[in-house]
Amino acid sequence: MARNTIGVIGGGQLARMMIPPAVALGIDIRVLEEAEGMSAELAATGVGDYRDLDTVLAFAQTVDVVTFDHEHVPPAILRELVSRGIPVHPGPDALLYAQDKLQMRAKLSELGLPVPDWAAVESADELGAFLADHGGRAVVKTARGGYDGKGVRVVSEASGADDWFLALAEDGRGGALLVEELVDFRRELAQLVARRPSGEIAVWPVVETVQKDGVCAEVIAPAPGSAGRVALVSAEIATRVAEGLGVTGVLAVELFETTDGRVLVNELAMRPHNSGHWSIEGAVTGQFEQHLRSVLDLPLGSTAMREEWSVMVNILGGPAEGSLQDRYPAALAAHPEAKFHGYGKAPRPGRKVGHVTVTGDDLDDVVYSARAAASFFEG
């Protein structure tokens, strides 16, 4: 019997953007949001704590397949769902590597995939030893919970993460921090793939991501100058990650392209991702539709680009006064070529409240247009 009711845990903008393709495909989508009035409230059928087994189980029993808006659901809860015969995509065995950076680094190293030099450190002395071996500077990350620049810092002395070591000691569970070499990179890339439970994989063009204060500000698809080796290596890395970790659904592999020509894995996200928003208008099959197809084990769609270039610019913070909708009349009139996406969020400094996408055959024109359209929602 066909499974056609998808349950999404988490009510953020990623769940929100799954709604239009679900409607187009005639798929019933239901959302468990953390609080009333979140981005995906249009499809919310429940409100509750995703860390509570009874809450998640009650929601999961109303759907055919469970997937996610984020990666924070405890593994024990997901394993309980699986034990009761409820399909979960991505499954807990794969999702572990998106939840824990130390586990992720260890697994990728085991698979022989290219990663920065790294170590698990449990004390300032161990951090100091790593610094001494890596030119006196390194990147320290908390193993869990960091995103959009949070839980990441550059250190140049052994005491640079003392507060994090203290927090680990005080929570009673112990643990370690991840320390990595400070990579000399030329730019950041992202490679998205989708994988069905039956094994089919679809790969989008590799993209360039531009960060601002640790948050993605722009995405250019495809990454300029990536045709050939960079595109092939990026696609191979992401495919090996998806297969090696058993990922189902959309997988985003964030990459460094180093100044000496290497491509290294930085982070993983096992869900639709900010670096793939361009694909809604820019690809034959956008990441949100592809994610739905994947978790239902339906044949995957073409990932070919509709035009030569697609540029996505995030709207960060939003208007200082009023809402995004207040700015629409002027923005839409000035930029009829642009596509605007609002997330139903109140403006707040640094918050992702929407994005703009423009496609075309001249990169300079497309970049200028996307930035100009997004600027209507600033200040």
Side-chain angles (χ1 to χ4, degrees):
M1 182 175 68
R3 298 182 182 273
N4 60 6
T5 301
I6 293 178
V8 184
I9 298 178
Q13 67 259 27
L14 301 182
R16 180 188 182 95
M17 286 183 274
M18 292 181 203
I19 298 172
V23 172
L25 290 169
I27 293 168
D28 184 9
I29 185 168
R30 304 177 187 180
V31 173
L32 175 65
E33 57 180 351
E34 295 89 333
E36 292 184 357
M38 294 189 68
S39 292
E41 65 177 331
L42 290 169
T45 58
V47 177
D49 187 351
Y50 59 81
R51 297 164 298 186
D52 179 71
L53 174 59
D54 291 339
T55 298
V56 174
L57 185 59
F59 172 73
Q61 288 174 330
T62 69
V63 302
D64 296 314
V65 178
V66 171
T67 190
F68 311 97
D69 170 84
H70 57 71
E71 293 128 333
H72 306 315
V73 182
I77 290 179
L78 300 181
R79 294 188 193 285
E80 181 63 24
L81 299 187
V82 172
S83 74
R84 295 178 183 237
I86 300 170
V88 176
H89 298 297
D93 291 341
L95 201 60
L96 168 67
Y97 300 110
Q99 294 174 326
D100 189 309
K101 292 181 177 64
L102 283 169
Q103 296 270 14
M104 179 262 288
R105 279 286 180 258
K107 185 65 174 179
L108 295 182
S109 298
E110 176 189 321
L111 293 171
L113 288 160
V115 297
D117 195 18
W118 67 278
V121 292
E122 298 184 9
S123 68
D125 287 344
E126 292 180 353
L127 176 56
F130 188 91
L131 287 169
D133 291 338
H134 293 83
R137 298 185 74 206
V139 178
V140 178
K141 301 179 180 180
T142 56
R144 290 177 171 267
Y147 68 97
D148 283 349
K150 301 179 179 68
V152 179
R153 66 175 61 154
V154 176
V155 301
S156 56
E157 52 189 25
S159 61
D162 281 355
D163 54 334
W164 286 352
F165 285 125
L166 180 61
L168 287 173
E170 289 179 343
D171 75 5
R173 295 182 298 173
L177 300 175
L178 171 65
V179 60
E180 299 178 342
E181 65 171 304
L182 187 61
V183 175
D184 186 11
F185 62 88
R186 187 170 76 85
R187 61 178 175 174
E188 294 185 66
L189 305 172
Q191 177 66 68
L192 263 69
V193 301
R195 180 175 178 269
R196 317 166 46 183
S198 56
E200 181 188 6
I201 289 179
V203 182
W204 283 273
V206 65
V207 303
E208 180 175 347
T209 63
V210 180
Q211 313 297 313
K212 179 180 179 181
D213 298 326
V215 179
C216 180
E218 299 180 4
V219 175
I220 303 173
S226 62
R229 190 189 71 84
V230 171
L232 291 172
V233 169
S234 300
E236 180 186 5
I237 288 171
T239 298
R240 288 176 60 192
V241 171
E243 293 176 337
L245 274 55
V247 180
T248 45
V250 166
L251 164 72
V253 182
E254 297 180 65
L255 302 160
F256 292 130
E257 182 182 3
T258 68
T259 54
D260 60 1
R262 295 175 296 159
V263 177
L264 305 177
V265 178
N266 180 25
E267 302 279 1
L268 304 179
M270 295 180 191
R271 50 172 169 75
H273 189 254
N274 198 180
S275 64
H277 291 351
W278 67 271
S279 66
I280 299 173
E281 288 87 24
V284 174
T285 310
Q287 66 166 342
F288 295 97
E289 177 184 341
Q290 199 82 294
H291 187 70
L292 300 181
R293 291 187 184 213
S294 300
V295 301
L296 291 172
D297 205 16
L298 294 171
L300 302 180
S302 168
T303 55
M305 296 193 64
R306 292 184 177 276
E307 297 196 59
E308 188 171 352
W309 299 101
S310 181
V311 173
M312 187 279 301
V313 176
N314 275 325
I315 300 170
L316 300 174
E321 296 182 0
S323 67
L324 265 66
Q325 287 73 20
D326 296 334
R327 305 289 181 95
Y328 275 155
L332 296 174
H335 291 281
E337 77 286 0
K339 290 293 187 178
F340 297 86
H341 295 259
Y343 300 161
K345 292 181 172 183
R348 189 177 69 200
R351 191 181 203 187
K352 293 176 184 174
V353 295
H355 73 264
V356 175
T357 302
V358 177
T359 62
D361 59 7
D362 184 284
L363 179 57
D364 289 341
D365 288 347
V366 173
V367 170
Y368 174 82
S369 179
R371 289 175 179 171
S375 72
F376 276 81
F377 303 95
E378 299 172 358

